[in-house]
Amino acid sequence: MTLFSNVGIYVDRERSGRFDDWLAHLESVLVLGDFEESRKIILLHSKLYGEAADEFDNFKVENPISARIYDRVKERLIKLFHSTETRSKQSVEFHNMQREPEENMRRYANRIRKAFHLAFPIKSTIDKATAFSREQIMMDRFLEGLSFDVQNRLKYKEFATFEKLIEKAEMTAMAVEEAQVRSRLNAFQAKYVEPNREFTKVKEALDRLSTQVESNTHQKHLEENMEKMQRHLSTRRNVSFSQRSPQLNPPINKTGNLYFCDFHNDWGYHSINNCKARESQANDKCFRCKEIGHRANFCPQIKNLKPTPPEGYDGNGKKLPLFEERGN
């Protein structure tokens, strides 16, 4: 049930996303097949609010017998939130998709894929030519939804697969952002008579990054750095948890116990009540859920499941006694 607590309350599409996506998440967490019908319905009802909860209550009054069957309740709710969806409406949504500001390139690509399959579903096996045509449509829509600077560098090039296009788009977006930063640095440095050494170092780093991106060696460079990091980590032994996980605050006491910070969704030496990151983002607005109090990378809508404490700690973060101490 710990996983169940991490599933958000469903209100409506604007605040909670698509109902079918939310329901799939709920069912994957609970593995509802292991529960009785009444238990399934109780758990589902506990996660509904607003229009969703009202529809559940109305169905219970109108059809008390059917309301005891989980699949019937699910059908009623899906009908409420998705009955107005038509192929034409989904097609329009697909053809109007744009990459959101600061949106991860792969997240944008996944939205394109999902919208395309909703608008143009496959009911049978297709041949290679049809599969290639479908992928080409997704690639064209993907390009049209990118910013002008990124799109202009890619639209006249050919890509064998959608995946190749995504990889190149990631590199190109980095190059565009690098050029914009360099332009701002040049404008800022032009105000000073003497050159600023710090700005010069930043510009040199940007030049190296630009060269790697344009020559398609940036990905190789990243892979080499990852291999170095893995070799370095493999040689380190007996690393304590405090060394492996960045902790922003010292422990409240000297017991060595851990605290769970819901804002970071991780175990460490502080809780959400004294989380510095949460305090620093108190007035920030998330572009994803439009709520105040956090940034997009801390958005509850994309939060992973609550992790278990590291080895040596129980489920509440209490430090377990050493083996020798337990023997005594």
Side-chain angles (χ1 to χ4, degrees), residues 241-280:
F241 177 69
S242 60
Q243 290 174 304
R244 286 186 281 114
S245 298
Q247 303 301 331
L248 302 180
N249 299 316
I252 297 176
N253 52 48
K254 302 297 183 179
T255 62
N257 297 331
L258 298 179
Y259 306 90
F260 182 76
C261 176
D262 191 63
F263 193 77
H264 283 89
N265 195 39
D266 200 4
W267 292 91
Y269 290 128
H270 71 271
S271 64
I272 193 172
N273 295 326
N274 61 336
C275 178
K276 297 298 183 183
R278 178 174 175 245
E279 293 176 6
S280 65

Side-chain angles (χ1 to χ4, degrees), residues 31-53:
V31 190
L32 291 176
D34 298 337
F35 293 92
E36 297 179 354
E37 288 291 301
S38 59
R39 181 63 173 167
K40 294 179 187 179
I41 294 174
I42 291 173
L43 292 172
L44 174 63
H45 191 202
S46 68
K47 289 292 183 178
L48 301 178
Y49 183 77
E51 186 179 7

Side-chain angles (χ1 to χ4, degrees), residues 7-262:
V7 179
I9 303 294
Y10 191 86
V11 182
D12 52 41
R13 180 167 183 171
E14 182 177 349
R15 284 173 282 186
S16 307
R18 289 180 58 90
F19 178 76
D20 54 357
D21 289 342
W22 175 87
L23 186 61
H25 179 208
L26 175 70
E27 293 181 340
S28 66
V29 167
L30 287 180
V31 190
L32 291 176
D34 298 337
F35 293 92
E36 297 179 354
E37 288 291 301
S38 59
R39 181 63 173 167
K40 294 179 187 179
I41 294 174
I42 291 173
L43 292 172
L44 174 63
H45 191 202
S46 68
K47 289 292 183 178
L48 301 178
Y49 183 77
E51 186 179 7
D54 292 340
E55 184 70 8
F56 180 93
D57 294 335
N58 291 336
F59 184 53
K60 194 172 182 180
V61 173
E62 297 170 5
N63 301 284
I65 297 178
S66 297
R68 297 176 183 176
I69 305 173
Y70 173 78
D71 288 339
R72 297 292 175 82
V73 175
K74 184 169 70 172
E75 289 175 5
R76 176 67 175 254
L77 292 172
I78 290 176
K79 183 178 180 180
L80 169 67
F81 292 106
H82 300 294
S83 61
T84 58
E85 293 182 354
T86 61
R87 290 280 298 279
S88 59
K89 182 178 179 180
Q90 291 169 342
S91 177
V92 170
E93 183 177 350
F94 168 73
H95 288 290
N96 289 332
M97 294 193 76
Q98 301 284 330
R99 184 189 177 201
E100 299 176 358
E102 300 181 14
E103 183 179 24
N104 179 281
M105 194 68 73
R106 291 195 173 274
R107 186 182 291 273
Y108 167 58
N110 289 336
R111 289 201 298 117
I112 289 285
R113 285 192 180 101
K114 182 173 182 179
F116 178 74
H117 289 296
L118 287 173
F120 309 101
I122 301 175
K123 295 184 179 180
S124 60
T125 305
I126 58 176
D127 54 32
K128 291 184 178 180
T130 304
F132 177 79
S133 298
R134 290 172 62 87
E135 188 169 34
Q136 192 63 49
I137 293 173
M138 287 190 287
M139 292 166 65
D140 292 342
R141 179 63 256 165
F142 177 85
L143 281 171
E144 291 174 7
L146 297 174
S147 64
F148 175 79
D149 292 335
V150 178
Q151 180 187 142
N152 203 39
R153 297 189 184 192
L154 298 175
K155 64 181 180 180
Y156 298 113
K157 298 180 180 180
E158 294 184 1
F159 300 93
T161 63
F162 194 7
E163 185 63 27
K164 294 292 184 183
L165 171 58
I166 297 170
E167 292 177 0
K168 187 60 178 178
E170 288 179 317
M171 298 297 102
T172 304
M174 290 177 60
V176 169
E177 292 172 4
E178 168 269 326
Q180 293 172 348
V181 172
R182 187 189 307 174
S183 177
R184 289 194 291 268
L185 282 174
N186 289 335
F188 189 78
Q189 194 169 13
K191 298 179 181 179
Y192 297 91
V193 177
E194 297 182 0
N196 187 298
R197 293 184 178 180
E198 295 299 324
F199 289 154
T200 302
K201 291 180 181 179
V202 173
K203 288 176 63 178
E204 290 175 354
L206 291 174
D207 288 336
R208 289 194 298 270
L209 175 61
S210 178
T211 302
Q212 291 173 359
V213 171
E214 293 299 330
S215 61
N216 292 324
T217 61
H218 182 67
Q219 185 69 24
K220 182 179 179 181
H221 181 68
L222 289 177
E223 292 175 356
E224 291 175 352
N225 286 340
M226 287 296 295
E227 291 178 0
K228 291 180 181 179
M229 290 176 62
Q230 290 174 356
R231 289 197 299 269
H232 178 67
L233 290 174
S234 64
T235 58
R236 296 176 63 187
R237 298 182 179 179
N238 301 322
V239 181
S240 65
F241 177 69
S242 60
Q243 290 174 304
R244 286 186 281 114
S245 298
Q247 303 301 331
L248 302 180
N249 299 316
I252 297 176
N253 52 48
K254 302 297 183 179
T255 62
N257 297 331
L258 298 179
Y259 306 90
F260 182 76
C261 176
D262 191 63

